Amino acid sequence: MQTPTELAAAYRSQGRKLTPQRQLLFHLMHGNDKHPTAESLFAEASAQMPGISLRTVYQTLNELAEMGELQFIDIGGGATRFDPNLDDHHHVVCVDCGQIRDVHVNGTAALKPVGIEDFTINEVGVVFQGVCSTCEKSRAKSNKTAHAKSPAQQAKVSK
Amino acid sequence: MQTPTELAAAYRSQGRKLTPQRQLLFHLMHGNDKHPTAESLFAEASAQMPGISLRTVYQTLNELAEMGELQFIDIGGGATRFDPNLDDHHHVVCVDCGQIRDVHVNGTAALKPVGIEDFTINEVGVVFQGVCSTCEKSRAKSNKTAHAKSPAQQAKVSK
DNA sequence: AACCTAATTAGCAAGTCGTGCGAATAAGAA
DNA sequence: TTCTTATTCGCACGACTTGCTAATTAGGTT
Ligand SMILES: [Mn+2]
Ligand SMILES: [Mn+2]
Ligand SMILES: [Zn+2]
Ligand SMILES: [Zn+2]
């Protein structure tokens, strides 16, 4: 995703209006590597601009996606995540806490799909599933104390 | 996923009851490579067993997943898809019609993630995105006639 | 600076997908 | 056949996202 300033120019050149809501979201998303959901962005935005609506957050994210400024990430589970990182990269998901981290992957060009001669392939996505070091620690702890695993956020899993 | 007969044995040995609803779903899922949604399975099931409930379809799919007999697939878009294929395989999605096809991928072992030393990786999933030959044809046609693209089912896309 | 108008916002209704709940039903043991 | 308990089914509800529209506002015009 471009910088807020560049986006401002892009918006103007397309006849779109530069509202304070949009500018705030530009700032919140620019360089953001947290892969936030619409709701979490809404929470951050609300802190700086009480009254902004969740609807506007969704609208702005959708228009940025249409403009090619960000991508949607659907790795199962609940809400769609938004990614302003347009570099060629992939993702790692912690199945415990649900966090998504960027990862560069070497070897994707060597991937050879077998049995889909009738498809024209445009993109390849790689998703690693694992457990982050933080969750690994709390796992060890709960093993010792035999605590129940927190029913909090859990990333549903696909292969 | 095991055969309906094998599943019957597995169910009995676990103290689960063998209902006609479950047996029907065993048959509908066994060897099914369509990656159906709960709704589409429900439609098929309803044809053979009018009155079966969508709730029961969800329940049975969830328990089969818990038993490790099938996996969930979430590739963005709408509903979760269910996959009885437990072999090591990956998927291709047609971004036009949304169909998901199995694909074996050579080279996954050579994939080298960079920058996630703090993760313990358990699984790797590869998703190819493209256009199937059928959709490719209808695309060519609509290009010539300048028709609008069908607003039908469209697979949302993630990377 | 006041004005115009189309774009945008905010809020609520509605749609989709999936789960919690509980009364009615039925599998399978006794 | 009877009994116990798992299961089914229907409905309400929750999470997430979009449709709709009246009110507001950005930004160009006078
Ligand atoms: Mn990313
Ligand atoms: Mn499959
Ligand atoms: Zn974690
Ligand atoms: Zn297709």
Side-chain angles (χ1 to χ4, degrees):
Chain A
M1 193 176 103
Q2 301 180 71
T3 65
T5 308
E6 292 169 324
L7 282 176
Y11 264 61
R12 270 194 262 267
S13 75
Q14 294 179 33
R16 299 182 192 266
K17 291 180 178 176
L18 260 191
T19 66
Q21 290 89 341
R22 283 172 171 170
Q23 289 175 296
L24 171 57
L25 291 169
F26 295 169
H27 277 96
L28 290 179
M29 281 305 286
H30 184 246
N32 189 324
D33 64 354
K34 297 294 182 52
H35 307 94
T37 64
E39 293 275 358
S40 68
L41 254 188
F42 173 60
E44 283 186 67
S46 296
Q48 302 197 215
M49 184 184 286
I52 190 175
S53 82
L54 176 59
R55 192 70 187 80
T56 297
V57 173
Y58 273 109
Q59 245 155 212
T60 303
L61 289 171
N62 278 329
E63 80 196 4
L64 284 171
E66 282 170 28
M67 294 168 66
E69 296 291 339
L70 53 77
Q71 62 172 322
F72 291 4
I73 301 182
D74 283 295
I75 308 190
T80 299
R81 326 271 305 229
F82 300 90
D83 192 348
N85 184 348
L86 300 178
D87 298 340
D88 181 36
H89 73 290
H90 299 275
H91 297 102
V92 204
V93 186
C94 174
V95 298
D96 247 44
C97 63
Q99 75 164 294
I100 299 181
R101 288 256 297 275
D102 285 335
V103 57
H104 179 261
V105 181
N106 293 319
T108 57
L111 289 177
K112 297 299 173 194
V114 180
I116 53 168
E117 301 72 29
D118 55 327
F119 270 78
T120 305
I121 301 300
N122 299 313
E123 276 187 22
V124 183
V126 180
V127 176
F128 295 87
Q129 282 177 30
V131 182
C132 72
S133 57
T134 303
C135 290
E136 197 70 73
K137 288 172 194 164
S138 51
R139 274 193 177 190
K141 194 182 303 178
S142 56
N143 282 345
K144 288 183 185 175
T145 57
H147 276 331
K149 67 177 73 170
S150 85
Q153 67 275 60
Q154 201 91 349
K156 282 179 195 167
V157 164
S158 72
K159 196 177 190 178
Chain B
M1 193 176 104
Q2 302 181 71
T3 65
T5 307
E6 292 170 323
L7 283 176
Y11 264 60
R12 270 193 265 265
S13 75
Q14 294 179 33
R16 298 182 192 266
K17 292 179 178 176
L18 260 190
T19 66
Q21 290 89 343
R22 283 172 171 171
Q23 289 175 298
L24 172 56
L25 291 169
F26 294 170
H27 277 97
L28 290 179
M29 281 305 287
H30 184 246
N32 189 323
D33 64 353
K34 296 295 182 51
H35 307 94
T37 63
E39 292 275 358
S40 68
L41 254 189
F42 173 60
E44 282 185 70
S46 296
Q48 302 195 214
M49 184 184 285
I52 190 176
S53 83
L54 177 58
R55 192 70 186 78
T56 297
V57 173
Y58 272 111
Q59 246 155 212
T60 304
L61 289 171
N62 278 328
E63 81 195 5
L64 284 171
E66 281 171 28
M67 295 169 65
E69 295 291 340
L70 52 77
Q71 63 172 320
F72 291 4
I73 301 182
D74 282 296
I75 309 190
T80 298
R81 325 273 302 233
F82 300 90
D83 193 347
N85 184 347
L86 300 178
D87 297 340
D88 181 36
H89 72 289
H90 300 275
H91 297 101
V92 204
V93 186
C94 174
V95 296
D96 248 45
C97 63
Q99 74 165 295
I100 299 181
R101 288 256 296 277
D102 285 335
V103 56
H104 180 261
V105 181
N106 292 319
T108 57
L111 289 177
K112 297 298 174 197
V114 179
I116 51 167
E117 301 71 28
D118 55 328
F119 270 78
T120 305
I121 301 301
N122 300 312
E123 277 187 20
V124 183
V126 180
V127 176
F128 295 87
Q129 282 177 31
V131 182
C132 72
S133 57
T134 303
C135 290
E136 197 71 74
K137 289 172 193 165
S138 51
R139 274 192 178 192
K141 195 183 299 178
S142 56
N143 281 345
K144 287 184 185 175
T145 56
H147 277 332
K149 67 179 72 170
S150 86
Q153 67 274 61
Q154 200 92 352
K156 282 181 194 169
V157 165
S158 71
K159 195 175 193 180

